[in-house]
Amino acid sequence: MNLISNIIINIYSIAILTSIGFYSSKRNENEDENLQYKLYMLMLYITIILLIVDILSRLDGDAVAIYPVLNSIGNFVMFMVNPILPSLWLLYVHYEVFQEVEKTKEIFYMLIPINAVHIFMVVVAQFHGWFYFIDEDNIFHRGQFYLIAAVILISLVIVTFAIIVINQKRIEKKHYFSLIFFAIPPFISIILQIAFYEVSLMLNSVALSLLIVFLYIQNDSVFIDGLTGIYNRKKLEIYLKEKINNSSENKTFSAIMFDLDNFKYINDTYGHDIGDNALQSFATVLRNSLRTNDFIARFGGDEFVVILDISNIIELEEVVNRINSDIEKFNDNNGRPYNIYFSMGYVVYDYNSHMKVKDFLIQIDSLMYADKKGSKKIN
């Protein structure tokens, strides 16, 4: 690929990513605490910067004036940051699968030494030409250990791909295929670039993958609660309206509303960080107790709502018992300074009542407060 073609396709990719970034920042002004949003935007901005740097790394063959300096800087930066994008993608996928900030942070700390060692190797290699060298005619040549950098890159992509496949039951179907697709174009581009140096489409492939993820995952982030990673009240009301409109006498649905009884006590006693952790932990327990197609939302504060494709009370009570059991297990083994207690109200939607969203939420809210009056629980 010649320089002009490289510049054109890179500018096109930059324009797409810049548009996504502008739209996302305007639409998600209140998502600063959402780890998934942060990781996505970081990948997007780094890709834009690397697309610019990539142009510099393609200034081969012209040894006049500043071109050799720009070519050297471009290739050095490209090699040095090679593992950063796949590392961020691994973190993004891990959080999408497990929705646990602390576990994702553990992966982050594991990736730091990998990236640090790689940067150290690239710096040392500058004096020996191990990964690459640029001759007196300003021509790029691969070094004898060029494949080591490629192997690190491919290994991170394969690990991420494995996390997606192994945990596919935990991922929403439309999100699953988007995550699977993300790795395919860059992976193909990496293989092509190893085989043919003149083919350099890896970053452009990443731009395409980021666009797909934006359309099918990130575009939903306006409906995600930034703290817990589950849906927010706006999405709950939209989803409930759809469920009510699609209900019939033969097929309806169920809902459970939860309120943490001792949340104020946790906040006042241990501080807001621990309080936030309690909300995140409760959301995680709910997610693990339910099926991937069950709907979970944070209604507000310390209140949560679950919507289930269940049309009879017996099945609903089985789910209620399972959640109670899982919370008991959490309290027995959580290793935190608090236990989680909650009140709940649950009911199967009565199609013949013709209740709208607001009335139905009032109904389960009343049932939940009736349960709360029955037993006051403190830590």
Side-chain angles (χ1 to χ4, degrees):
M1 181 182 294
N2 61 43
L3 178 61
I4 300 301
S5 299
N6 181 266
I7 291 174
I8 291 172
I9 193 170
N10 279 18
I11 289 175
Y12 184 71
S13 299
I14 290 168
I16 292 174
L17 295 180
T18 302
S19 299
I20 294 173
F22 179 79
Y23 179 82
S24 297
S25 62
K26 289 295 182 183
R27 190 174 182 187
N28 300 279
E29 290 177 347
N30 298 320
E31 292 297 319
D32 292 340
E33 298 304 316
N34 189 317
L35 178 60
Q36 191 175 44
Y37 173 76
K38 286 181 178 179
L39 289 170
Y40 179 82
M41 295 303 287
L42 193 54
M43 284 190 290
L44 187 142
Y45 292 139
I46 289 176
T47 304
I48 290 174
I49 293 170
L50 291 181
L51 282 165
I52 296 171
V53 173
D54 183 59
I55 295 173
L56 302 180
S57 70
R58 295 293 152 184
L59 297 174
D60 275 7
D62 195 336
V64 179
I66 199 171
Y67 288 122
V69 176
L70 294 177
N71 195 20
S72 297
I73 292 173
N75 279 288
F76 175 71
V77 173
M78 291 297 294
F79 266 83
M80 188 171 63
V81 303
N82 256 346
I84 291 180
L85 272 179
S87 295
L88 289 172
W89 175 237
L90 195 159
L91 293 171
Y92 182 94
V93 166
H94 188 275
Y95 184 75
E96 170 70 18
V97 171
F98 299 103
Q99 296 289 324
E100 293 188 46
V101 174
E102 293 305 318
K103 284 189 176 181
T104 303
K105 284 182 179 179
E106 290 176 8
I107 302 298
F108 169 75
Y109 294 131
M110 291 169 59
L111 290 170
I112 288 177
I114 294 175
N115 282 268
V117 168
H118 176 82
I119 290 172
F120 176 77
M121 288 169 57
V122 172
V123 171
V124 172
Q126 295 301 300
F127 304 100
H128 305 282
W130 291 338
F131 289 152
Y132 71 92
F133 62 92
I134 298 172
D135 64 22
E136 62 274 7
D137 295 319
N138 194 30
I139 302 294
F140 175 95
H141 298 277
R142 292 175 177 175
Q144 58 183 324
F145 300 124
Y146 172 85
L147 284 178
I148 292 178
V151 167
I152 292 174
L153 211 63
I154 292 172
S155 297
L156 289 169
V157 173
I158 290 174
V159 169
T160 307
F161 194 82
I163 291 174
I164 298 169
V165 173
I166 292 170
N167 297 282
Q168 59 181 293
K169 291 183 179 179
R170 302 174 66 106
I171 308 171
E172 287 187 43
K173 187 173 291 186
K174 72 171 184 176
H175 289 189
Y176 174 73
F177 289 110
S178 299
L179 295 175
I180 284 289
F181 178 82
F182 185 100
I184 294 174
F187 188 80
I188 293 173
S189 297
I190 291 169
I191 299 300
L192 285 174
Q193 192 166 347
I194 291 173
F196 310 101
Y197 163 65
E198 65 274 9
V199 178
S200 176
L201 295 172
M202 201 270 283
L203 289 170
N204 310 105
S205 300
V206 172
L208 173 62
S209 297
L210 286 170
L211 174 61
I212 298 298
V213 169
F214 169 75
L215 292 174
Y216 290 96
I217 300 179
Q218 282 305 121
N219 206 27
D220 282 344
S221 65
V222 70
F223 297 122
I224 300 296
D225 176 59
L227 179 64
T228 60
I230 59 178
Y231 288 115
N232 58 22
R233 182 167 179 165
K234 178 187 285 189
K235 180 65 174 180
L236 169 65
E237 291 173 350
I238 294 171
Y239 187 77
L240 260 182
K241 185 176 181 180
E242 291 175 356
K243 298 301 287 184
I244 290 173
N245 290 339
N246 294 328
S247 291
S248 64
E249 287 196 51
N250 298 321
K251 185 179 180 182
T252 183
F253 64 95
S254 302
I256 311 172
M257 180 177 282
F258 303 87
D259 179 270
L260 301 191
D261 294 318
N262 58 333
F263 182 66
K264 186 177 184 303
Y265 174 85
I266 294 172
N267 258 342
D268 292 346
T269 306
Y270 305 110
H272 290 286
D273 287 343
I274 298 297
D276 288 348
N277 181 263
L279 295 173
Q280 293 166 343
S281 297
F282 185 66
T284 299
V285 173
L286 286 180
R287 191 182 295 111
N288 292 336
S289 297
L290 302 171
R291 301 165 298 185
T292 54
N293 62 326
D294 292 328
F295 181 93
I296 311 171
R298 185 180 175 194
F299 188 62
D302 59 346
E303 294 183 334
F304 297 78
V305 174
V306 168
I307 308 296
L308 309 155
D309 288 323
I310 291 176
S311 300
N312 69 78
I313 192 65
I314 295 175
E315 287 185 38
L316 178 57
E317 288 178 343
E318 288 176 357
V319 174
V320 167
N321 291 334
R322 183 166 68 245
I323 293 171
N324 278 323
S325 175
D326 287 344
I327 283 293
E328 287 180 10
K329 291 176 184 176
F330 172 84
N331 287 337
D332 289 339
N333 304 289
N334 67 21
R336 295 170 174 84
Y338 62 83
N339 287 330
I340 292 177
Y341 301 110
F342 60 85
S343 301
M344 74 167 82
Y346 56 91
V347 69
V348 175
Y349 179 77
D350 181 5
Y351 171 76
N352 294 315
S353 70
H354 302 294
M355 276 189 290
K356 301 300 182 184
V357 171
K358 182 178 179 180
D359 296 326
F360 185 60
L361 287 172
I362 289 173
Q363 182 188 19
I364 56 175
D365 185 64
S366 298
L367 292 168
M368 184 267 292
Y369 272 101
D371 182 53
K372 182 178 284 288
K373 287 180 182 178
S375 62
K376 286 279 185 181
K377 308 166 187 121
I378 309 177
N379 194 46

